[in-house]
Amino acid sequence: MAQFLSNAGSNYFFWITIILILIIFFTLFRNLLLKKKLMVQESSITMLSGQLEELQEQTSYHRKILDSMPCGFANHELLFDTDGKATDYQLLSMNTSFTEYTGITKEAIGKKISEIDPDTKNHLLDDFAEVISTGKPVCTEYYVPQNNRCFHVLAFPSAENRFATMLEDITLKKEHEHTLQLERSQFK
């Protein structure tokens, strides 16, 4: 009987030892997996951080290109009423030449054009609605009496319900054309 107790005790000790070893093994294995998962997450975060930094550099690069363009550039979103009719458009972004040409400052970003300059809205809304409805660019000329300037406006789709505009100041060209017409009329 004593031998049975001593064998049972050693079996008990054996199984407790095996269970403890298994617990330690699974704990270490779990910790190793968690550490590997954290390393993968850390690697992913590092990779995403690098991609974000690269994207920020590209955005900065493209912003510099847009700001150094000699023509005005702006991005807009066309706004519709409940019947689907274009009613206004919102200024989303612009370059420095756009500000120089129009006098519209960065504070206007996010505002409707009717809040910024109602006259512009009334003259160009139909052209910009055409850009969105057809998906094709539209060219037009627009005279701004407030600063006595004339612009060649190219509008083209940039995303769903969005369009970009490029402005070229053609005031001098128009003045020269007018002068030529006057001179030609004198010779007739």
Side-chain angles (χ1 to χ4, degrees), residues 26-42:
F26 284 118
T27 303
L28 289 173
F29 185 71
R30 189 185 108 237
N31 288 345
L32 183 64
L33 287 177
L34 287 175
K35 185 174 182 180
K36 180 128 177 118
K37 185 177 178 181
L38 286 174
M39 287 173 36
V40 168
Q41 287 176 345
E42 185 177 302

Side-chain angles (χ1 to χ4, degrees), residues 72-83:
F73 176 86
N75 205 9
H76 313 272
E77 182 169 6
L78 196 61
L79 304 173
F80 300 91
D81 63 14
T82 55
D83 296 328

Side-chain angles (χ1 to χ4, degrees), residues 8 24 108 129 154 164 184:
I24 291 169
L154 169 64
R184 285 182 184 157

Side-chain angles (χ1 to χ4, degrees), residues 2-3 7 13 18-19 23 54 72 76 80 83 85 96 100 107 120 128 148 166:
Q3 183 154 7
N7 279 345
F13 178 73
I18 293 295
I19 291 172
I23 290 172
E54 184 178 327
H76 313 272
F80 300 91
D83 296 328
K85 183 179 184 240
T96 52
E100 290 169 14
E107 289 75 30
T120 301
F128 297 154
N148 197 29
M166 293 182 71

Side-chain angles (χ1 to χ4, degrees), residues 14-24:
F14 172 78
W15 287 112
I16 294 288
T17 305
I18 293 295
I19 291 172
L20 286 174
I21 289 172
L22 287 173
I23 290 172
I24 291 169

Side-chain angles (χ1 to χ4, degrees), residues 89 120 123-128 130-131 137-143 150-156 163 165-170 173-174:
Y89 53 98
T120 301
H123 288 93
L124 297 172
L125 183 62
D126 291 338
D127 291 329
F128 297 154
E130 182 182 335
V131 169
V138 169
C139 292
T140 188
E141 291 181 1
Y142 180 63
Y143 175 71
C150 191
F151 297 102
H152 173 83
V153 180
L154 169 64
F156 53 94
F163 62 95
T165 54
M166 293 182 71
L167 306 178
E168 179 186 8
D169 188 345
I170 58 170
K173 178 183 172 192
K174 287 295 183 182

